[in-house]
Amino acid sequence: MASENRTVLVTGGGGLVGKAVKHCIEQLGEHREGETWIFCTSKDGDLNDLESTRALFAKYKPTHVLHLAALVGGLYANMARNLDFFRVNMQINDNVLRVAHETDVNKVVSCLSSCIFPDDITYPIDETSLHMGPPHDSNFGYSYAKRMVEVLNRGYNEQHGRQFVSVIPTNVYGPNDNFHLHNSHVIPGLIHKIYLRKQDPEKYPFKVMGSGKPLRQFIFSHDLAKLMIWVVRDYFDKDPIILSVGEKAEISIRDAVKQICVGLDYPFEELEFDTSKADGQYKKTVSNEKLMKILPDFTFTPFDKAIKETCEWFVTNYDTCRK
Ligand code: NAP
Ligand code: GFB
């Protein structure tokens, strides 16, 4: 179906979610005639710098922006650098929205996260509770920076009639993630650790950090990418929308690790848990009711299948992946 001519600039185009969007557009038939998708990385311009941001927009003249770029990390990276996660993300987000406004971009879709909601809250969390209390201490910097995206969106929309909206993904995993041993999220971090442990248990006697009891909803990056492409094209509400698997898909970290062991063919019973390490938020269960009311037929990839695909991707791309 022909669509209006649009040029979609994807910031953070080289990351986990950016690469998934690129894969969907270029390999999974999501492309539409009349659309140009540009996937940029920090090599194309440092979004921390206003003039670099202006140069990037001047070069590509986007009509739409899918704003994924951010300083992103797992629980332990956030605990170690809350100030950096606040300042860097505040700067990137202010620059991108300011230049999008200056250059009259039709629509900007930015990213919040399910981990930025109030920690003391009733479940399931929905889109209306974003500012109803402080976030979990472990990632207050990242959380407040992300909440300010929603405040900036409201400011530009009300004062300048802009169409700046945000999506709220839950924990994401998939190919092209950051598999660093220490500053990554739990799934890529454990895939890397278990892979090394399997190669040489003596050299890599690691323990799974925390108790394994916390609960998470994990969304496969390819599923999230399809939903984000839909938001860019066909979501016109000004309020944020949660993009997550349902409440019933919530699993414990322990069960997620068990699935990684299946994906890497490693005996789970060989692993130990180091309960001296922080667990982070116990749960942050979100409702995807708003999404499912609009897209009742959307189906999520089963966790076991997507984890297997991610493990296989990691093993195949070990030498070149981000780790
Ligand atoms: P990611 O893999 O770390 O990708 C983020 C990208 O941002 C990186 O590829 C990086 O590009 C780019 N970036 C960082 N600083 C930049 C700068 N100063 N200038 C230009 N580009 C810069 O992260 P992700 O997991 O894809 O996350 C994408 C979005 O989803 C983020 O906004 C994140 O907050 C949000 N989100 C992620 C999760 C999750 O579980 N992963 C959950 C909820 C929300 P370079 O590599 O070129 O530096
Ligand atoms: O993915 P993760 O770091 O993010 O998961 P959060 C942390 C949970 O996994 C904790 C356990 O319960 C950890 O105890 N865990 C076990 C590990 N082993 C590991 C490991 O090797 N690495 C990591 N990272 N965790 C993040 C936020 O919270 O959620 C970010 O801090 C971001 O800001 C992300 O928004 C989506 O879900 O706990």
Side-chain angles (χ1 to χ4, degrees):
M1 177 186 78
S3 61
E4 62 176 277
N5 279 328
R6 60 170 74 105
T7 299
V8 186
L9 179 71
V10 182
T11 73
L16 164 66
V17 181
K19 283 284 183 81
V21 174
K22 185 177 172 70
H23 178 73
C24 290
I25 290 289
E26 298 177 355
Q27 314 290 334
L28 299 186
E30 290 280 347
H31 187 270
R32 277 186 190 171
E33 63 176 277
E35 280 186 354
T36 304
W37 288 72
I38 297 152
F39 297 89
C40 63
T41 73
S42 56
K43 291 184 184 63
D44 300 300
D46 177 3
L47 297 173
N48 256 309
D49 177 86
L50 180 59
E51 290 316 312
S52 300
T53 308
R54 283 178 169 147
L56 183 73
F57 278 65
K59 178 176 180 182
Y60 292 112
K61 299 183 177 46
T63 60
H64 294 65
V65 174
L66 176 56
H67 174 37
L68 304 177
L71 174 60
V72 179
L75 168 65
Y76 303 107
N78 275 270
M79 288 172 69
R81 296 176 62 199
N82 265 296
L83 175 63
D84 292 345
F85 275 86
F86 179 71
R87 294 195 68 247
V88 168
N89 287 310
M90 281 291 289
Q91 189 66 72
I92 289 173
N93 297 330
D94 192 53
N95 285 342
V96 169
L97 293 178
R98 173 176 175 174
V99 177
H101 169 57
E102 287 175 355
T103 57
D104 208 18
V105 168
N106 293 350
K107 181 174 181 180
V108 179
V109 177
S110 300
C111 274
L112 309 186
S113 169
S114 63
C115 73
I116 74 171
F117 283 103
D119 188 41
D120 180 10
I121 194 164
T122 52
Y123 299 105
I125 302 168
D126 69 24
E127 290 85 352
T128 61
S129 34
L130 192 58
H131 300 287
M132 289 183 181
H136 192 266
D137 252 0
S138 60
N139 66 341
F140 71 86
Y142 175 84
S143 295
Y144 280 116
K146 286 291 188 179
R147 290 188 188 188
M148 291 307 108
V149 172
E150 198 273 335
V151 172
L152 283 165
N153 285 350
R154 279 181 57 201
Y156 281 108
N157 296 345
E158 289 177 12
Q159 191 167 322
H160 297 293
R162 289 296 171 202
Q163 206 182 174
F164 293 177
V165 70
S166 48
V167 294
I168 312 178
T170 188
N171 292 53
V172 194
Y173 68 96
N176 296 293
D177 204 340
N178 160 23
F179 290 88
H180 189 275
L181 287 173
H182 306 298
N183 70 24
S184 56
H185 288 108
V186 59
I187 287 183
L190 265 293
I191 288 174
H192 191 175
K193 289 175 182 175
I194 295 169
Y195 171 82
L196 292 176
R197 173 77 173 263
K198 190 176 173 183
Q199 308 266 330
D200 186 340
E202 303 303 316
K203 194 173 168 192
Y204 300 104
F206 85 94
K207 290 183 181 175
V208 180
M209 297 197 279
S211 68
K213 291 185 181 136
L215 301 169
R216 295 291 184 270
Q217 290 157 285
F218 292 105
I219 186 169
F220 185 39
S221 59
H222 294 183
D223 296 341
L224 178 61
K226 288 172 189 163
L227 292 171
M228 284 188 168
I229 293 165
W230 164 73
V231 170
V232 170
R233 289 172 173 160
D234 299 315
Y235 178 75
F236 299 102
D237 188 343
K238 288 279 172 58
D239 292 324
I241 183 166
I242 287 171
L243 303 181
S244 173
V245 295
E247 297 157 58
K248 292 190 175 60
E250 186 177 60
I251 61 170
S252 69
I253 295 293
R254 183 183 181 83
D255 286 342
V257 175
K258 271 186 186 169
Q259 208 54 61
I260 293 169
C261 287
V262 171
L264 291 173
D265 189 20
Y266 183 81
F268 173 74
E269 48 283 353
E270 293 286 317
L271 297 181
E272 290 175 74
F273 284 77
D274 178 356
T275 51
S276 72
K277 295 292 187 301
D279 268 348
Q281 283 177 275
Y282 173 66
K283 66 188 275 168
K284 43 183 173 178
T285 319
V286 293
S287 160
N288 68 356
E289 191 180 334
K290 179 174 179 179
L291 171 68
M292 299 321 291
K293 273 192 180 143
I294 305 170
L295 299 179
D297 299 330
F298 186 86
T299 51
F300 296 94
T301 308
F303 184 68
D304 56 348
K305 179 173 180 293
I307 281 286
K308 183 104 179 109
E309 185 174 328
T310 305
C311 289
E312 286 165 357
W313 183 91
F314 176 76
V315 174
T316 306
N317 297 275
Y318 181 75
D319 291 339
T320 54
C321 72
R322 285 190 292 165
K323 57 183 188 292

